[in-house]
Amino acid sequence: MGTADEASAAQAVRQMFNSIAPRYDLLNHVLSANVDRLWWRRTARRFRPILADPDASVLDICCGTGDMTMALLKLRPGGARPILAADFARGMLCRGALKFGAESRRAGDPYAIPLEADALHLPLKSASLDLIVTAFGFRNLANYEAGLREFARVLKPGGQLGILEFSEPGGLVGKAYAVYFRRVLPTIGRLICGKNGPYNYLPTSVGSFPPPTEMLQLMHSNGYEQAAWEPYTFGIAGLYTAKRSLVV
Ligand SMILES: C[S@@+](CC[C@H](N)C(=O)[O-])C[C@H]1O[C@@H](n2cnc3c(N)ncnc32)[C@H](O)[C@@H]1O
């Protein structure tokens, strides 16, 4: 994709998420039968040692309405440095801030600072973060390599990255899931949110997302080491993890 194409693809994604923001949480929980909650919690637990350090700098990028951020906050000690929770769709971010912002939390409880920002151009200093997590957002980026490089720029050497994403399982489970994902899910999505586009977009974007072997290669060639993929729930989703290389 060229830069102009990337800019218009990003604009279309932002508009789509702003338009479904009021119904996003409801749709998510109905369509995933609440399994998404388990995935967010499992992802957060994977980074428990970093989250337990009150001084660790943590970014949840593509935070949307904030459920991944909330799972991360559960593992932060009282008085910890706030998490940064960033998204470029204001409609999504504002709903997230109502859950994780300082005003919505009890005094002394860990909280997150909402930041309206594009994942490909983060307004953050180089080598400033210990951990970046992103849940179901990375697939939407207009340029995956540019995203990985931008995350590598802001991570400290040895800092960790976690990308939770959908995947397309193989075998019989894959076949059954494909029927649900490509036929049932867009229909339910349309009924609840009254729009055609967004829930047709979901299976299409998952279908064109690189498979795990390719994603791991992309990670290794864009500034990371020890890249790994852990499938969740028969490989319907999975967590990519990696460390920012000591030398980039
Ligand atoms: C499917 S939602 C996931 C939200 C949340 N992380 C969750 O697990 O429910 C994807 C989010 O990524 C955001 N997003 C997509 N591309 C982005 C970009 N380039 N920069 C910042 N946010 C982006 C969208 O606005 C949307 O809120």
Side-chain angles (χ1 to χ4, degrees):
M1 252 197 250
T3 314
D5 289 348
E6 286 178 9
S8 59
Q11 174 63 4
V13 167
R14 181 165 43 226
Q15 263 173 10
M16 183 187 73
F17 279 106
N18 274 327
S19 79
I20 61 169
R23 295 274 166 147
Y24 179 82
D25 282 352
L26 172 65
L27 272 162
N28 239 5
H29 302 319
V30 170
L31 293 172
S32 77
N34 268 339
V35 178
D36 48 5
R37 293 204 179 286
L38 303 179
W39 293 338
W40 289 314
R41 275 191 227 141
R42 190 168 165 187
T43 297
R45 282 200 305 269
R46 170 68 180 67
F47 299 106
R48 194 190 286 275
I50 301 181
L51 293 167
D53 172 358
D55 294 325
S57 320
V58 180
L59 168 69
D60 177 12
I61 180 66
C62 303
C63 68
T65 56
D67 286 337
M68 182 72 244
T69 317
M70 294 300 284
L72 296 170
L73 283 174
K74 284 216 170 76
L75 301 184
R76 295 290 277 158
R81 184 193 278 237
I83 288 176
L84 285 174
D87 200 287
F88 72 176
R90 189 176 295 185
M92 298 286 280
L93 187 62
C94 290
R95 279 170 178 81
L98 292 176
K99 301 179 194 167
F100 56 61
E103 306 72 26
S104 323
R105 315 273 297 163
R106 283 198 315 241
D109 278 357
Y111 65 96
I113 298 175
L115 175 67
E116 191 173 341
D118 186 337
L120 300 184
H121 307 281
L122 292 168
L124 300 173
K125 274 197 207 147
S126 298
S128 58
L129 299 175
D130 297 288
L131 172 65
I132 297 180
V133 173
T134 183
F136 308 113
F138 189 81
R139 167 180 40 88
N140 301 294
L141 300 188
N143 184 328
Y144 302 140
E145 291 196 83
L148 288 171
R149 283 197 299 271
E150 181 63 349
F151 298 167
R153 179 186 71 78
V154 294
L155 277 171
K156 295 176 185 170
Q160 298 200 35
L161 172 63
I163 299 177
L164 175 61
E165 254 315 336
F166 288 113
S167 181
E168 293 203 304
L172 270 183
V173 173
K175 287 205 175 103
Y177 189 64
V179 174
Y180 171 73
F181 210 54
R182 293 183 188 281
R183 303 211 181 277
V184 182
L185 181 147
T187 310
I188 303 177
R190 191 167 52 244
L191 286 174
I192 298 185
C193 89
K195 289 186 178 68
N196 246 331
Y199 287 86
N200 288 337
Y201 164 81
L202 178 60
T204 309
S205 64
V206 173
S208 47
F209 191 64
T213 42
E214 215 175 293
M215 255 303 278
L216 295 177
Q217 262 171 15
L218 281 183
M219 293 172 99
H220 279 132
S221 53
N222 285 284
Y224 300 86
E225 51 196 46
Q226 298 174 34
W229 181 68
E230 188 185 345
Y232 287 2
T233 319
F234 308 112
I236 290 169
L239 180 67
Y240 293 93
T241 52
K243 280 192 176 174
R244 199 269 219 187
S245 303
L246 294 178
V247 185
V248 180

